[in-house]
Amino acid sequence: CHKVSDAAWPQGTFNHSATAFPLVGVHATQTCQRCHGDGVYKGKSTACVSCHQTDYTNTKNPNHAASGFPTACESCHKVSDAAWPQGTFNHSATAFPLVGVHATQTCQRCHGDGVYKGKSTACVSCHQTDYTNSKNPNHAASGFPTACESCHKVSDAAWTQGTFNHSTTAFPLAGVHATQPCSACHADGVYKGKSTACVSCHQTDYTNTKNPNHIAAGFPTTCDNCHRASDTTWTQGTFNHSTTAFPLVGVHATQTCQRCHGDGVYKGKSTACVSCHQTDYNNTSNPNHIAAGFPTTCDNCHRASDTSWTQGTFNHTGFPITTGKHAGNPCSACHTNPSNYSVFSCTTACHPRSQMDDKHKGKAGYLYDSQVCYSCHPNGRKP
């Protein structure tokens, strides 16, 4: 402590830096008497509270004793601080780290009640007034829970940044719904118990739709039969014809709704082919359906799954044309009058008279006539 060069004994100085308690901050400005007034040097405690018990006990902002703060002063105060009030509390070491707008508040803002130890971390313990006074939307009337963190994050910079997670409800937001403000669906102030039925929001859309006219067509108000919540526009609706008495297949599946429902009739629309194909029936000339006396039950020859009208096939019931010598012949081989299929000829091209007369020698009632041929051979075989 003393140098031989000192001019007087009192010039001695102690090098505190060589001890377990180097002097920094306000400590470096104190007299030895300030800390060693008790005459203890060797083995002097380095625990802050050994000197600062009175400071701890008398501090009221905040009240350390009442708040249950530990007497390990260094938890908040640094030995290098120039003054006692410079102490800072490390909130990150607690169950409620300070982030967002919380990090900008004074201690008094949340601990004005003097409660530190055991302070509730439930948002509503501080934000009950915010919850009660919120009108857009009205949290209390809407039945929102007081678990503020359901919509608000502690890291938010403002209360108004709260967002509601609709994915946790019975109506997740998708498509155009995900782009709407809350007021588009909740302008009536109803949140809790809000109907998820499409028509509860879309009655006007249903009523005003003219292409097709939903009311006149007798469409149900269960919009999700044709429209998906994930659609980006109302006009993306599609009707599932497979659930009806007339599933769409073949060429029918390629037609617009207007093609069959141009008359505006949807509910109760006839499924009889001729109700749409009367003109096709009337104008067909190969063969001429009217002259041939064909029935208007088009599905006797045409299938709904056909990709074109000309794929129709006639079921030659009773007279075989798919086996034996009759197979593979065009219709015109027997039906020589294209305008009248009720007229047929066995003799014109297939069965010459010389052969038939020879084969029928001695046959009672034989005549070389097509109608007589058919009367004896209705199945195309020997009687």
Side-chain angles (χ1 to χ4, degrees):
C1 296
H2 304 273
K3 294 182 287 182
V4 294
S5 60
D6 286 344
W9 180 258
Q11 283 182 288
T13 57
F14 181 73
N15 181 12
H16 230 283
S17 299
T19 71
F21 197 89
L23 298 182
V24 291
V26 72
H27 293 93
T29 66
Q30 306 303 306
T31 63
C32 299
Q33 187 68 15
R34 185 73 175 82
C35 296
H36 296 282
D38 55 2
V40 178
Y41 289 84
K42 185 178 181 179
K44 181 71 175 181
S45 173
T46 58
C48 302
V49 74
S50 66
C51 278
H52 294 290
Q53 180 67 60
T54 301
D55 295 307
Y56 175 91
T57 303
N58 294 340
T59 298
K60 303 302 180 187
N61 183 26
N63 188 311
H64 286 31
S67 301
F69 285 2
T71 55
C73 310
E74 66 275 7
S75 299
C76 301
H77 304 273
K78 294 180 290 181
V79 291
S80 60
D81 286 344
W84 178 259
Q86 281 182 287
T88 55
F89 181 72
N90 181 13
H91 232 283
S92 299
T94 70
F96 196 90
L98 298 183
V99 291
V101 72
H102 293 93
T104 65
Q105 306 305 304
T106 62
C107 302
Q108 189 69 14
R109 186 73 175 79
C110 298
H111 298 282
D113 55 2
V115 178
Y116 290 83
K117 186 176 182 179
K119 180 74 176 180
S120 172
T121 58
C123 302
V124 75
S125 67
C126 278
H127 294 290
Q128 180 67 61
T129 301
D130 296 306
Y131 174 92
T132 303
N133 293 342
S134 290
K135 303 302 180 188
N136 184 26
N138 187 311
H139 286 32
S142 300
F144 285 1
T146 54
C148 312
E149 65 276 7
S150 299
C151 302
H152 304 273
K153 295 180 291 182
V154 291
S155 59
D156 286 343
W159 178 257
T160 54
Q161 282 181 288
T163 56
F164 182 71
N165 182 9
H166 232 281
S167 299
T168 61
T169 70
F171 196 91
L173 298 183
V176 72
H177 293 94
T179 65
Q180 304 305 302
C182 301
S183 58
C185 299
H186 298 282
D188 54 3
V190 178
Y191 291 82
K192 186 176 182 179
K194 180 74 176 179
S195 173
T196 58
C198 303
V199 75
S200 66
C201 277
H202 293 290
Q203 180 68 60
T204 301
D205 297 305
Y206 174 92
T207 303
N208 293 341
T209 298
K210 303 303 180 188
N211 184 26
N213 187 310
H214 286 32
I215 295 176
F219 285 0
T221 55
T222 47
C223 311
D224 48 350
N225 284 8
C226 301
H227 304 272
R228 294 173 299 175
S230 59
D231 287 344
T232 54
T233 65
W234 179 257
T235 56
Q236 283 180 290
T238 56
F239 181 72
N240 182 9
H241 232 281
S242 299
T243 62
T244 70
F246 197 90
L248 298 184
V249 291
V251 72
H252 293 95
T254 65
Q255 305 304 303
T256 63
C257 303
Q258 189 70 13
R259 186 74 175 77
C260 298
H261 298 281
D263 55 2
V265 177
Y266 291 82
K267 186 176 181 179
K269 180 75 177 179
S270 173
T271 58
C273 303
V274 74
S275 67
C276 278
H277 293 290
Q278 182 68 63
T279 301
D280 297 305
Y281 175 91
N282 292 342
N283 294 342
T284 299
S285 57
N286 183 26
N288 186 310
H289 286 31
I290 296 175
F294 285 180
T296 55
T297 49
C298 311
D299 48 350
N300 284 6
C301 301
H302 303 273
R303 293 174 299 176
S305 59
D306 287 344
T307 55
S308 72
W309 181 256
T310 56
Q311 283 178 289
T313 57
F314 181 70
N315 182 6
H316 227 279
T317 305
F319 195 90
I321 59 170
T322 58
T323 60
K325 293 181 179 180
H326 294 98
N329 293 306
C331 300
S332 59
C334 299
H335 298 280
T336 54
N337 184 347
S339 64
N340 188 348
Y341 269 70
S342 61
V343 176
F344 62 92
S345 172
C346 301
T347 60
T348 303
C350 298
H351 301 287
R353 181 160 195 159
S354 60
Q355 290 182 0
M356 296 301 101
D357 286 351
D358 184 58
K359 286 185 177 183
H360 290 80
K361 285 180 180 179
K363 296 290 185 180
Y366 165 71
L367 288 174
Y368 186 62
D369 177 81
S370 295
Q371 289 293 335
V372 175
C373 294
Y374 182 69
S375 66
C376 289
H377 304 278
N379 298 318
R381 293 182 293 274
K382 293 181 180 180

PDB file of all heavy atoms in Angstrom, residues 43 81 143 154 228 264 287 368:
ATOM      1  N   GLY A  43     -11.780 -10.760   4.886  1.00  0.00           N
ATOM      2  CA  GLY A  43     -12.993 -11.589   4.998  1.00  0.00           C
ATOM      3  C   GLY A  43     -14.276 -10.785   4.894  1.00  0.00           C
ATOM      4  O   GLY A  43     -15.371 -11.300   5.166  1.00  0.00           O
ATOM      5  N   ASP A  81     -22.736   0.460 -11.930  1.00  0.00           N
ATOM      6  CA  ASP A  81     -23.711   1.548 -12.032  1.00  0.00           C
ATOM      7  C   ASP A  81     -23.208   2.775 -11.282  1.00  0.00           C
ATOM      8  O   ASP A  81     -22.571   2.669 -10.226  1.00  0.00           O
ATOM      9  CB  ASP A  81     -25.061   1.126 -11.447  1.00  0.00           C
ATOM     10  CG  ASP A  81     -25.817   0.153 -12.346  1.00  0.00           C
ATOM     11  OD1 ASP A  81     -25.446   0.038 -13.537  1.00  0.00           O
ATOM     12  OD2 ASP A  81     -26.761  -0.498 -11.853  1.00  0.00           O
ATOM     13  N   GLY A 143     -69.293 -12.517 -27.419  1.00  0.00           N
ATOM     14  CA  GLY A 143     -68.966 -13.746 -26.702  1.00  0.00           C
ATOM     15  C   GLY A 143     -67.533 -14.197 -26.911  1.00  0.00           C
ATOM     16  O   GLY A 143     -67.227 -15.378 -26.769  1.00  0.00           O
ATOM     17  N   VAL A 154     -48.427 -11.112 -27.857  1.00  0.00           N
ATOM     18  CA  VAL A 154     -47.704 -10.215 -26.947  1.00  0.00           C
ATOM     19  C   VAL A 154     -46.661  -9.411 -27.716  1.00  0.00           C
ATOM     20  O   VAL A 154     -46.227  -8.350 -27.263  1.00  0.00           O
ATOM     21  CB  VAL A 154     -47.022 -11.000 -25.798  1.00  0.00           C
ATOM     22  CG1 VAL A 154     -48.061 -11.562 -24.849  1.00  0.00           C
ATOM     23  CG2 VAL A 154     -46.117 -12.103 -26.337  1.00  0.00           C
ATOM     24  N   ARG A 228     -68.586 -23.860 -54.014  1.00  0.00           N
ATOM     25  CA  ARG A 228     -67.652 -24.271 -52.964  1.00  0.00           C
ATOM     26  C   ARG A 228     -67.168 -23.046 -52.199  1.00  0.00           C
ATOM     27  O   ARG A 228     -66.954 -21.986 -52.795  1.00  0.00           O
ATOM     28  CB  ARG A 228     -66.460 -25.000 -53.570  1.00  0.00           C
ATOM     29  CG  ARG A 228     -66.804 -26.329 -54.218  1.00  0.00           C
ATOM     30  CD  ARG A 228     -65.605 -26.907 -54.934  1.00  0.00           C
ATOM     31  NE  ARG A 228     -65.153 -26.018 -55.997  1.00  0.00           N
ATOM     32  CZ  ARG A 228     -64.069 -26.220 -56.718  1.00  0.00           C
ATOM     33  NH1 ARG A 228     -63.316 -27.281 -56.501  1.00  0.00           N
ATOM     34  NH2 ARG A 228     -63.721 -25.371 -57.678  1.00  0.00           N
ATOM     35  N   GLY A 264     -85.351 -22.338 -69.456  1.00  0.00           N
ATOM     36  CA  GLY A 264     -85.418 -21.915 -68.065  1.00  0.00           C
ATOM     37  C   GLY A 264     -85.960 -22.969 -67.130  1.00  0.00           C
ATOM     38  O   GLY A 264     -86.138 -22.719 -65.935  1.00  0.00           O
ATOM     39  N   PRO A 287     -81.873 -43.216 -91.722  1.00  0.00           N
ATOM     40  CA  PRO A 287     -83.162 -43.294 -92.426  1.00  0.00           C
ATOM     41  C   PRO A 287     -84.137 -42.221 -91.953  1.00  0.00           C
ATOM     42  O   PRO A 287     -83.947 -41.612 -90.905  1.00  0.00           O
ATOM     43  CB  PRO A 287     -83.667 -44.675 -92.019  1.00  0.00           C
ATOM     44  CG  PRO A 287     -83.128 -44.840 -90.633  1.00  0.00           C
ATOM     45  CD  PRO A 287     -81.774 -44.185 -90.634  1.00  0.00           C
ATOM     46  N   TYR A 368     -93.381 -66.214-104.592  1.00  0.00           N
ATOM     47  CA  TYR A 368     -92.134 -65.451-104.592  1.00  0.00           C
ATOM     48  C   TYR A 368     -92.455 -63.999-104.253  1.00  0.00           C
ATOM     49  O   TYR A 368     -92.584 -63.137-105.117  1.00  0.00           O
ATOM     50  CB  TYR A 368     -91.462 -65.566-105.961  1.00  0.00           C
ATOM     51  CG  TYR A 368     -90.082 -64.922-105.998  1.00  0.00           C
ATOM     52  CD1 TYR A 368     -89.053 -65.392-105.196  1.00  0.00           C
ATOM     53  CD2 TYR A 368     -89.831 -63.858-106.870  1.00  0.00           C
ATOM     54  CE1 TYR A 368     -87.803 -64.809-105.233  1.00  0.00           C
ATOM     55  CE2 TYR A 368     -88.581 -63.272-106.915  1.00  0.00           C
ATOM     56  CZ  TYR A 368     -87.556 -63.738-106.077  1.00  0.00           C
ATOM     57  OH  TYR A 368     -86.312 -63.158-106.116  1.00  0.00           O
TER      58      TYR A 368
END
